[in-house]
Amino acid sequence: MLFFGCLNVLSAGSLLLASLARADSGSVVFPIKYKTIAGFKRYSSNGKERSFTLNQANPLVTLDYGTEVGGFPTFTVESLSTTVQLQAKYREPRAGLDAPFGDGPWTFANGLSNTFRVETFNVTSTGTVSSFFIQGGLRWQNLQLLTDGTVKICRLGIRSGNDRTPVDALPGYFESSNKLYNEIWALGPRTVQQACIAANGAPSTWEVTEDGVYLRGQQPAQSVVGSPFNNYTMTFQSKIVRGGTGWKVASGVMGFGPYFVLTGEYPTGSTFVNTNTTLVPANTLAVGYGWNLLNQTSLTSGKVNYYPLPFDVKEGQWYEISTRINATGYGVTVNETEIFVPLDELQIATSFIGSSGSLTGGTWGFGPYQDQIALVKDVTVHAQNSSLLYHNPMTSASVLKEYGVMANTHSICLDGAKRDRLVWSGDFAHTYRVVQASTYRSDFVAGTLEYLIDRQASSSIYDGYFSMSPAMGQSADYTDVYNSFGLIDYQILFLHAFAGYYQNSGDQAFLQKHWAKIKKGVEVTVSLIDNQSGLAVSPFFGTFFTGSSNGTAVSGLLSHTLRQMANLATAMEETDLAISWTSHADSIKAAITKHLAWAILSGAANTTQTESTIAALSSLRLGIGYKSSTSITSSPSANLSPFLSGFLLEALLQASRNSATASNARKTAISVLLDHLWAAMVTQDEYYTGTTWEYLYPDGRPGLDLYTSHAHPWAAAPTYVLTEYVLGVQAVSAGFARWAFRPAVLDVAVSWARGRVPTPHGLIQASWRVAGEGMRMEIKVCGPKGTTGVVGLPFAVQSCMVNGKKQAPGAGGLEVAVTGGGCAEIRCTRK
C-alpha cells in the first residue's frame, strides 16, 4: 500500500515514486452511492464528490459502483485525529460482503493483480492513499475503521485504465422494441471493457531493488527454470518487512504445490489489528498443500499444518531459509533451526492443472501471505549431491521474466475481469465478436490473437498447437515450459477466432504476418481426423465443453473452422491448401450423424435434422436454461453454461433467419435463453454487475458460489448474436467489402430493431420494423463507401417498394442490392 500526504510527494523514495506512478495511471471511477449508518446516499452532488467521516460510532461505509470496475483502489484523507487502520473489502455482487475474505482469494494465477479481496491500510497523515495492487473486477466495496480515532475521507474510488464509454455511445450499437434484450445486449460491451486490458495497463506485482525483490502479500510466482528439478534444496535470504514471508517448492509453474508461510513475532508498531493470527500464528511455519492456505470453492487446498519456532522471528532482520526435498517430506531450516514437514502430515490436494505431477519434483516460487511484505534475495538450489544447480541474487529485472510477472506488453482480453485473468484461447471465440459488435477495439482483438500466436508449441506432442491459457506476465520464450495445452476444442476455437477476425477486418497484413504459424496450427489439427470414423479423434487431447474428442460436436466445430480457414488460404493464394481443407470439412460433415449446435452452425445438419434437434432441446431444460449434455444431473447445484448456450443461441437464430416460416420450438428455445438464462443477469440487483456471468444455477443465481466471475466475456454471446441475426448485419467477404442485412424476424419477441455495425470502411446503419401482425415490413439500411450489400428476407413477399419505386417480387425471398455509400428504404408486404 501507498500512503503519503499531498505536499510530501516530492520527498518520497524510489519505491514510493514507483507506486505513485502505478496509482496515477487511468482516471478515478467514483461510486454512484454510498451507505453509512444514515443509509444510502448519492456519492456525487452537483458535480462534487461527497466526503464522509468514520469513527467508533460510524466505523463502516459501503460503496456501490453501479456496474463492474477494476483498477487501483484510492482515496484521499482530508483529516484524521491519529494514525488509523482501515480495512477494504471488495466484491462483485453485494452478497458476500460480510464474508471474511470477500469473494476471494484468487489463487489460480498471480494475475498481475491483488490475490486477496481484503486489504488493510495504515493511514498516518492526510493526503492520497492508494493500493499498490490492481483490484480485479468489482461492483461493491466496504471500508471499515479498525482502530480508535476519526478519519474524514473524500474522493474514494477506483483508478482505472479501462474504458467506460456508455454503451449507446460506442461504435457498435443495438436497440429494439424489447427493453430486456437491449439490457442483455449491453452486458457484452461492459464486460469486454473491463476484461480487456490495454498494453502496459497491468504493471508487475514484484518490485526489484538492490536488496532483492520487494514482495507484498500475493499468490506466489514461480521460476520457469526449476520445472525439471527433483529432490533439491532451495535456499534464500529473506527479510520480513511486515507479518511474514512465503514460498513454494516442488510446485508446478502455475503454482500448485506445497506452500510455506513463515510469520514474524507481530510487533505492535507494525502489525495490523485484523491480522488473522488463527490462520497464520506468530513465530510459526504454516504449511498447506494446493493453491493457497485457503479453499476457494473449486480451488481446493489441503488443511494447514503449524510448526512453532523456538525463537521470535524479527522484522527487519535477514534470515537464511532453506527447504530440502526428499521422498518423505520437506525439511525447512530457518537460520540453524530445522523443522521437518512429513508428507503424511499434509493433506495432499489434487489439481487438473498447475501441478508438477510429483511431490518431490517441480519448481520454486515466492509470495508472502495477505498484507505481509518481505524482501527475498540470493536464491540458490543444490542437488542431492550438493552440486549447485541455480543461483540468482534477485536484484536484476530479469527475474520478472523468469518468474512470469512482467508488465503486460499486449492489449489483451482476459477470461474474466476478476479472475482467472488469463488469456483463454477458446473463450476468445465469443469475446472477439462482442468487441466487433460494440467497442470495436481492434487493438484488443489483434493483440490477443498475437499474444496466443506467439505462444505456439515448438516441441513435444503439442508441436504446432497454441497455448490455451497463458497468463499476463509470462514470456513467450517459455511456452513449452508452461505447457498450457491439452484441449482440442480450444485449439479449434482459437483458429475459428483468427478466421473470424480476418473476415471482419480484412487485415491482409496481419494475415500475412502470422500465416506460417496459423497454417501449421491448422495442419496439426487436421491430422486428428480419424480415417475410419471421419471424426476428430486425439490420443492426447481432451475437450472442455464439446463432448468426447471423437464426438460430433467437436467435429462439427472443426468442419466449420476448416471451411473458414480455406477462405484464408484462398486469400493467401494457396489454392491447393484451400481445396484440401475444404475437402476435409466436407468429409467431416458427411461423418456427422448426431444433431448438436455445432452440427447446425457447420451446415452438417439438414433442415429436418435441425428442427428435430431444436425440438429435442426440451429434454435438456433445467430451470432457467439448458444443460450442456444429458450426462449432467438435474440438481439445483448444476452449473448452466452461458458459454455453450451462446453457440446454441446463434444456431437457433441462424435457423430462424434462414426459415420462411415461424417455429414454436425455435421461439420457445430462444425465449428460454434470452427471457430466462440471460435475463437473470439483468433482473437481480443483488447479483447485478452490468456484465455477463460465468455460470448460473438453475434457479437463476450465479453458479460456482463465491468463485464465479461476474464479468466473463465467454458468456456475452447475445451481444453479437442480436447484432448479427436480429439487427441482421454480417460480413459476407473479408473486411465487410460485401455484407448482408438478413434479420431474423419470425421467432424473436422483437417488433423493431435498429443499430449500427462498425466496419473498416465505416458504419453500416440499419433498422427494420414489423407492422400489421407481421404482414408489413419497413427496412432502412445504409452502407459505407467501398462496400456493397444485400438486403434479404427468407419468406416470399407480395409487394415491395424500394426507395419509393415498385419492385417486382421474386419467386423466393426478398433480395435487394445496396450500393456503397447509399441507402435502401424498403416497404414490403409478406405473402
Side-chain angles (χ1 to χ4, degrees), residues 110 205-206 218-223 253-255 364-367 403-405:
N110 185 275
T205 55
W206 284 26
Q218 60 187 278
Q219 183 66 8
Q222 284 62 236
S223 168
V253 288
M254 287 290 291
W364 55 88
F366 301 98
Y403 287 82
V405 287

Side-chain angles (χ1 to χ4, degrees), residues 17 35 45 54 107 133 174 183 274 286 292 296 310 343 427 464 512 552 558 616 625 638 686 700:
L17 289 175
K35 178 185 178 182
S45 178
L54 298 180
T107 58
F133 291 115
F174 170 87
E183 287 296 318
N274 62 340
N292 196 262
Q296 173 44 268
L343 289 177
D427 301 17
Q512 290 175 342
T552 55
L558 179 56
E686 181 181 8

Side-chain angles (χ1 to χ4, degrees), residues 123-375:
V123 182
T124 61
S125 65
T126 58
T128 300
V129 179
S130 293
S131 175
F132 175 83
F133 291 115
I134 285 175
Q135 191 61 243
L138 61 108
R139 173 186 166 182
W140 296 89
Q141 177 185 351
N142 277 349
L143 191 65
Q144 182 177 2
L145 178 66
L146 300 175
T147 57
D148 292 335
T150 299
V151 57
K152 187 177 182 181
I153 292 172
C154 67
R155 295 188 60 79
L156 188 153
I158 305 293
R159 189 174 295 279
S160 177
N162 295 81
D163 179 23
R164 293 184 69 82
T165 302
V167 293
D168 60 356
L170 292 170
Y173 186 60
F174 170 87
E175 186 180 15
S176 74
S177 60
N178 192 314
K179 292 183 178 179
L180 174 62
Y181 292 3
N182 299 343
E183 287 296 318
I184 291 172
W185 184 92
L187 297 175
R190 293 198 202 100
T191 302
V192 296
Q193 282 176 327
Q194 300 310 309
C196 297
I197 310 298
N200 302 310
S204 177
T205 55
W206 284 26
E207 285 189 278
V208 181
T209 77
E210 60 185 12
D211 291 325
V213 287
Y214 190 85
L215 301 175
R216 296 160 176 84
Q218 60 187 278
Q219 183 66 8
Q222 284 62 236
S223 168
V224 291
V225 176
S227 60
F229 290 6
N230 282 278
N231 296 303
Y232 55 80
T233 298
M234 189 272 289
T235 303
F236 64 101
Q237 304 288 322
S238 187
K239 179 198 290 186
I240 296 174
V241 178
R242 183 178 62 228
T245 188
W247 68 97
K248 290 194 171 188
V249 296
S251 167
V253 288
M254 287 290 291
F256 189 87
Y259 182 31
F260 305 84
V261 175
L262 174 66
T263 57
E265 62 177 341
Y266 295 152
T268 302
S270 62
T271 302
F272 292 149
V273 298
N274 62 340
T275 299
N276 190 333
T277 55
T278 300
L279 181 63
V280 281
N283 299 312
T284 299
L285 177 68
V287 185
Y289 194 98
W291 292 108
N292 196 262
L293 296 183
L294 288 173
N295 292 335
Q296 173 44 268
T297 311
S298 62
L299 293 188
T300 305
S301 294
K303 69 180 180 69
V304 182
N305 292 311
Y306 297 99
Y307 305 90
L309 276 82
F311 57 88
D312 291 342
V313 180
K314 303 290 185 179
E315 293 185 357
Q317 178 177 319
W318 286 101
Y319 289 87
E320 182 173 280
I321 303 170
S322 66
T323 307
R324 174 175 48 84
I325 304 170
N326 64 36
T328 60
Y330 309 107
V332 177
T333 301
V334 181
N335 285 352
E336 297 181 355
T337 298
E338 182 172 1
I339 298 171
F340 188 70
V341 182
L343 289 177
D344 58 13
E345 287 188 7
L346 293 177
Q347 182 182 347
I348 307 298
T350 58
S351 173
F352 77 100
I353 193 171
S355 171
S356 68
S358 168
L359 297 176
T360 59
T363 191
W364 55 88
F366 301 98
Y369 200 66
Q370 178 182 340
D371 283 333
Q372 296 179 349
I373 301 176
L375 280 157

Side-chain angles (χ1 to χ4, degrees), residues 545 626-628 632 638-647 673 677-678 681 693-696 714-715:
F545 283 114
Y626 296 108
K627 298 185 294 184
S628 55
I632 295 176
N639 285 300
L640 304 180
S641 170
F643 175 76
L644 281 182
S645 296
F647 296 126
L673 295 177
L677 183 74
W678 270 283
M681 305 180 196
W693 308 347
E694 183 182 18
Y695 285 103
L696 296 93
W714 82 350

Side-chain angles (χ1 to χ4, degrees), residues 354-405:
S355 171
S356 68
S358 168
L359 297 176
T360 59
T363 191
W364 55 88
F366 301 98
Y369 200 66
Q370 178 182 340
D371 283 333
Q372 296 179 349
I373 301 176
L375 280 157
V376 170
K377 68 177 182 179
D378 294 334
V379 180
T380 59
V381 178
H382 289 85
Q384 282 185 317
N385 64 5
S386 298
S387 62
L388 180 65
L389 301 174
Y390 173 91
H391 174 252
N392 193 329
M394 307 294 281
T395 55
S396 166
S398 63
V399 301
L400 304 182
K401 180 177 180 179
E402 178 186 338
Y403 287 82
V405 287

